Amino acid sequence: ETEDDFKPIIYFELENYQYESEFKLDTPKRGKYITVLLLSALSDDSIDIDLTAFFGCLHPPNQSLLSSLYPPSNSTSTNNNQPKFLRIGEQFQLLSTESRSTFIKKSFDQMSKSERIEAGYAHFLRAIVYSTLSGGSHLALDDYSQTLLYSGKTCLPALKNRSLSKLVVKDIQGAKNDVEAGMKVDKDDMELWYMMGNCLEEEGRLEEAEEALGKAIEGKKGEGKYWNNRGWVRQRRGNHRGAVEDFEKFLEMEGRKEKWEKWGVPVLMNKIRSEEALEEWSEVLRDVERVEKMIKEQGEVYVELMTKKGNALSKMGRSEEAAECLKGILINQPLSEEKSEEVSQLLKEANQ
């Protein structure tokens, strides 16, 4: 949302992808990839992250080939203190579009198998960066496809991530196709059943989605997100008891993790909605108090939370506390006309 938020997101996303073994890469090279990506991503406001500098470190891009395409009239001095791959990248950027295409095609033809895998990994990392940016999903899709071109159609990390990007742009069938392709690569990867469940949920095929998420849970019980998503599907199907159990399981598994509030608040809000449907008002109140500790006393989430608190207190016969809570919302919070009417009606009921 801001530049200060952006940098740690990029670092987090890149540093938490541990795919060198799957790409069969030499680990030391990964530092170069990340360095170039960070320089590209953080030094320019544009979403267009230039990958051309990678040609210098992915494979020796044949300085002679580059020089033969590089217009002599445009030759400029380079900073010899820069890493070689950055200097070559700067030169590459000055080529005409036609010369770039020629260079890329010739250099691709000259790549060994291992060099093509490395090129695929470069596209893979840039796709991760794109996927963190607003509007970057289509660009990420292109890079994941390039990864599969360079590294092979059975590259499971690229299939998984491309499926997620397709889901973002609402290409549900395409996302499912990539998940199914992944299952042919590794039928025991339970993450793929989780992803299939999400695709089916997007299609509104809730029964099948719940079944797929159940398979993910059975196969790998350590992933809290599997329980959360099945809870959401169960809630949509009207199985509020099952939803409450799944949401609580997620909270139990994830609650000790650092900064877990990012997911804890929305999961608790969903859990509260199912508890309201079950008319379990003491549980509603307990979970409301859990959320209160995590959020600021302002904003739509806080207003919604306090409305639920006032309603629960009223249903439990604690009318004075309910009225005080609801009055506080009306006096201290900016409300839409619809929300103001809702809170006023609850206050009227609490005072009866």
Side-chain angles (χ1 to χ4, degrees):
E1 294 181 3
T2 69
E3 185 177 350
D4 288 339
D5 291 333
F6 177 73
K7 293 182 181 180
I9 288 174
I10 298 297
Y11 279 102
F12 176 82
E13 293 290 343
L14 291 175
E15 290 297 334
N16 281 277
Y17 275 83
Q18 305 293 334
Y19 286 133
E20 292 94 336
S21 60
E22 294 188 54
F23 278 87
K24 297 181 173 60
L25 288 170
D26 295 330
T27 302
K29 290 187 177 181
R30 184 165 175 266
K32 281 187 178 180
Y33 301 144
I34 293 176
T35 299
V36 176
L37 273 173
L38 289 172
L39 288 172
S40 300
L42 303 179
S43 64
D44 191 347
D45 292 334
S46 170
I47 195 172
D48 181 21
I49 300 171
D50 196 340
L51 195 63
T52 55
F54 278 109
F55 279 97
C57 63
L58 296 175
H59 56 96
N62 296 320
Q63 186 68 46
S64 59
L65 172 61
L66 183 60
S67 298
S68 70
L69 296 169
Y70 189 73
S73 59
N74 291 339
S75 61
T76 58
S77 60
T78 59
N79 180 0
N80 290 326
N81 293 324
Q82 282 185 311
K84 182 180 178 182
F85 65 89
L86 284 180
R87 295 203 305 274
I88 294 173
E90 285 182 352
Q91 290 179 320
F92 187 89
Q93 292 172 36
L94 296 175
L95 295 176
S96 67
T97 302
E98 182 179 357
S99 294
R100 284 190 185 203
S101 298
T102 301
F103 175 67
I104 290 172
K105 184 179 186 306
K106 286 187 177 181
S107 63
F108 180 84
D109 291 342
Q110 294 168 7
M111 284 184 189
S112 66
K113 180 180 178 181
S114 63
E115 288 169 345
R116 290 182 182 182
I117 291 174
E118 290 175 355
Y121 190 60
H123 281 283
F124 181 78
L125 286 179
R126 185 173 68 169
I128 294 170
V129 177
Y130 278 144
S131 67
T132 70
L133 304 177
S134 176
S137 294
H138 287 287
L139 295 168
L141 280 171
D142 290 341
D143 270 338
Y144 287 132
S145 295
Q146 286 297 108
T147 299
L148 291 164
L149 172 66
Y150 283 114
S151 302
K153 294 181 180 180
T154 60
C155 179
L156 192 55
L159 285 169
K160 284 182 176 181
N161 283 17
R162 190 172 70 172
S163 176
L164 292 172
S165 291
K166 286 179 177 179
L167 207 56
V168 171
V169 300
K170 302 302 180 184
D171 178 8
I172 311 303
Q173 187 56 53
K176 287 168 60 182
N177 290 344
D178 280 344
V179 171
E180 289 169 353
M183 287 177 171
K184 292 178 182 178
V185 176
D186 185 356
K187 62 182 177 60
D188 296 322
D189 189 333
M190 293 301 106
E191 180 84 7
L192 292 166
W193 281 109
Y194 164 76
M195 295 173 70
M196 181 60 77
N198 292 341
C199 292
L200 293 166
E201 188 270 330
E202 285 287 337
E203 288 184 320
R205 297 163 62 181
L206 301 181
E207 183 176 354
E208 294 168 85
E210 183 175 343
E211 181 180 348
L213 290 164
K215 288 182 179 179
I217 288 170
E218 291 170 8
K220 189 176 181 181
K221 294 182 171 60
E223 292 287 343
K225 63 184 180 182
Y226 300 170
W227 298 88
N228 175 48
N229 285 34
R230 190 176 70 172
W232 168 238
V233 169
R234 284 179 163 181
Q235 187 177 71
R236 288 189 62 188
R237 296 188 68 197
N239 178 7
H240 292 288
R241 175 61 60 204
V244 165
E245 291 172 357
D246 279 354
F247 291 141
E248 189 57 44
K249 185 66 176 179
F250 167 87
L251 295 165
E252 175 188 320
M253 297 175 72
E254 302 293 321
R256 293 184 178 85
K257 293 185 178 179
E258 186 179 359
K259 297 183 180 179
W260 76 284
E261 292 91 340
K262 176 183 177 182
W263 292 106
V265 170
V267 173
L268 276 167
M269 292 299 286
N270 275 333
K271 183 169 181 274
I272 289 168
R273 293 183 185 104
S274 283
E275 288 165 345
E276 287 178 319
L278 295 168
E279 298 185 352
E280 295 181 343
W281 304 114
S282 61
E283 294 301 310
V284 170
L285 192 59
R286 181 178 70 91
D287 284 333
V288 163
E289 291 171 351
R290 293 168 75 180
V291 178
E292 275 189 274
K293 298 175 182 178
M294 302 179 192
I295 64 174
K296 297 178 180 179
E297 295 183 2
Q298 59 186 4
E300 291 183 9
V301 175
Y302 182 73
V303 169
E304 182 66 21
L305 188 69
M306 291 300 99
T307 303
K308 292 180 179 299
K309 182 176 183 178
N311 184 48
L313 288 167
S314 179
K315 296 293 186 182
M316 295 170 69
R318 297 162 62 176
S319 301
E320 290 184 7
E321 294 172 82
E324 182 180 354
C325 176
L326 296 166
K327 284 178 184 177
I329 299 173
L330 292 170
I331 294 171
N332 299 318
Q333 301 294 330
L335 304 176
S336 65
E337 183 177 346
E338 181 181 1
K339 194 65 179 179
S340 180
E341 290 177 1
E342 178 190 350
V343 175
S344 296
Q345 179 60 35
L346 289 173
L347 177 59
K348 182 179 178 181
E349 293 172 5
N351 286 327
Q352 286 179 349

